[in-house]
Amino acid sequence: HIAQFLSFHASFKVIGTLSSRMAGADGLNPQGIKRDKSVRRSFPLAEPTETLTGGDFDAFEVNLMDASYGDPVLREELQQGKKIHALFGALFFNTTYEEIMATAGKPGMEDKYSRSKSGVFALFFGGDEGTLARKLGIDEDLGREVFESMGHKYKVWAENRQQIFDDFCSMVQEGGIGSKVIWRDPADYIESLFGFRRYFTMENMICKVLFDLANNPPKHWSRFRGVKLVRRDREQTVAGATRTALFACAFGIQAANMRAAANHVIQSSGATITKRLQCNIWTLQPVGVNPWVVRPLNIHDEVMCPTRKGYEPAVKAKVDETLDYYRETVPLIAMDWNSNMKNWAEK
């Protein structure tokens, strides 16, 4: 057998998304490589003269969400070492925290922990009771009950989350579906924990144009007054059906804005931290033409770093220094760092 070694030349866009998270580019996107250990075991990453070091942020998005919303009840439970997915799962399935944890990864059992995790992340990124119902496979009435229960238990979390939605809700129907649509100017941008802004200027302008067009349709639309369209629950004129479609499009954009704003608070904050960690590690690399000392690679919430032998303690010190710096803003930030791995699967 002839062993063939291929170099792993990953391409990234440093500002690849609106949240500032890096995005993969070219033909080899390392962010798209499966997390499965059987796949990642194929990537040693480090050369024979190097040691592979690296790790994952511990419950990164959970801890960023905690820092963003600052709910004291949730903070206390997380500080006790409890898993947020099981805490929320106890509400989802109307059972105990211990029962949810007992199903995690257990063959032959319904994995309520994984289902709960799916629901939790949906809520982190702007989901509602309908999203819960779809993710957990429950009916919408139960999804609504669970959603309300979470709001009662974690009041500050619910209030701060709702405030984001209110800021980007440009259209409301105070009398419910079917009532008059009222416009109110939404926020133009949202900031991460570290001040990185995502602007919604264009999306808001499009919403306003659609709203104005639906409210004041061109006069020539009335020429089709005699033509009726049969809807599921009523008949509409062509002009009326077109206005309905315009409002639906505007509400769709608005809903996307609200979800993106909630998403930004967490993902953009995480992007700042992981990039800073990577930059801090890079300071160990001598300036100019020199042998590689460190070669950090950032994949979402993990950093892998082929490290010249003997520099492992220095890299670990940079990791600890970075975590200490951000702990004032993200109190529960933590990272499991491994200073001696054989391949990517061992992080």
Side-chain angles (χ1 to χ4, degrees):
H1 298 282
I2 299 175
Q4 184 177 19
F5 295 94
L6 299 177
S7 297
F8 187 45
H9 294 288
S11 296
F12 284 101
K13 299 175 183 177
V14 178
I15 302 295
T17 65
L18 292 174
S19 67
S20 87
R21 291 183 79 178
M22 292 199 292
D26 300 330
L28 179 58
N29 176 11
Q31 299 194 75
I33 294 172
K34 292 182 179 180
R35 300 179 69 95
D36 188 271
K37 290 186 180 297
S38 64
V39 174
R40 293 198 168 185
R41 198 173 290 120
S42 302
F43 294 86
L45 298 182
E47 299 288 343
T49 56
E50 299 172 318
T51 302
L52 180 59
T53 68
D56 264 342
F57 283 97
D58 183 27
F60 201 28
E61 290 168 326
V62 172
N63 293 334
L64 288 167
M65 187 273 293
D66 165 71
S68 300
Y69 294 143
D71 188 291
V73 176
L74 181 58
R75 171 74 57 80
E76 183 177 354
E77 290 179 329
L78 292 175
Q79 287 178 324
Q80 293 171 359
K82 293 185 177 180
K83 300 291 187 181
I84 193 171
H85 310 308
L87 289 170
F88 280 50
L91 296 175
F92 294 160
F93 296 103
N94 192 28
T95 184
T96 64
Y97 172 88
E98 289 73 21
E99 182 178 330
I100 298 296
M101 287 299 299
T103 70
K106 297 295 176 61
M109 296 180 65
E110 179 188 3
D111 193 344
K112 293 181 179 179
Y113 180 85
S114 293
R115 289 178 64 192
S116 301
K117 185 175 182 179
S118 176
V120 167
F121 280 115
L123 291 176
F124 281 5
F125 300 122
D128 56 15
E129 56 264 31
T131 313
L132 273 182
R134 292 191 298 274
K135 291 289 185 180
L136 298 175
I138 57 180
D139 62 61
E140 288 206 15
D141 288 338
L142 179 55
R144 190 173 300 109
E145 289 179 19
V146 171
F147 189 76
E148 291 173 354
S149 296
M150 289 167 56
H152 289 312
K153 182 176 182 181
Y154 305 111
K155 291 183 173 62
V156 175
W157 171 82
E159 290 170 1
N160 289 336
R161 184 179 184 274
Q162 186 60 47
Q163 185 61 57
I164 293 176
F165 290 166
D166 290 345
D167 288 345
F168 292 90
C169 182
S170 54
M171 295 170 293
V172 294
Q173 291 177 283
E174 294 178 347
I177 296 176
S179 63
K180 182 178 180 180
V181 181
I182 300 172
W183 177 269
R184 60 185 186 190
D185 290 335
D188 202 36
Y189 64 85
I190 190 167
E191 291 186 344
S192 72
L193 285 169
F194 307 106
F196 188 90
R197 293 180 178 182
R198 171 168 180 174
Y199 283 87
F200 293 85
T201 308
M202 183 176 67
E203 292 91 334
N204 291 339
M205 289 174 62
I206 293 172
C207 270
K208 188 62 165 66
V209 168
L210 292 170
F211 172 83
D212 289 341
L213 185 58
N215 265 331
N216 300 291
K219 291 182 179 180
H220 66 267
W221 286 7
S222 62
R223 288 184 300 177
F224 302 98
R225 189 173 296 166
V227 181
K228 300 289 185 180
L229 298 176
V230 179
R231 313 280 291 187
R232 285 182 300 176
D233 55 345
R234 65 192 186 281
E235 283 189 351
Q236 281 187 303
T237 64
V238 171
T242 305
R243 292 182 67 222
T244 297
L246 289 169
F247 276 129
C249 184
F251 273 111
I253 295 172
Q254 172 181 281
N257 289 351
M258 293 160 69
R259 290 192 299 271
N263 180 35
H264 182 83
V265 172
I266 297 173
Q267 287 203 341
S268 180
S269 301
T272 296
I273 294 174
T274 51
K275 286 180 181 179
R276 174 56 59 188
L277 173 57
Q278 192 173 0
C279 286
N280 287 346
I281 292 174
W282 269 117
T283 62
L284 295 173
Q285 180 64 34
V287 176
V289 180
N290 288 283
W292 287 114
V293 172
V294 289
R295 295 188 290 130
L297 173 69
N298 168 207
I299 308 289
H300 296 314
D301 59 350
E302 62 181 287
V303 174
M304 304 303 293
C305 184
T307 303
R308 189 175 180 181
K309 293 185 184 300
Y311 281 83
E312 298 89 350
V315 173
K316 179 62 165 61
K318 290 293 182 182
V319 174
D320 293 340
E321 175 188 311
T322 305
L323 296 183
D324 289 341
Y325 176 81
Y326 282 111
R327 194 159 282 120
E328 183 176 350
T329 306
V330 186
L332 303 183
I333 191 171
M335 190 175 206
D336 294 323
W337 190 260
N338 190 333
S339 293
N340 186 17
M341 294 180 284
K342 293 180 180 178
N343 55 60
W344 195 357
E346 294 187 2
K347 64 171 182 58

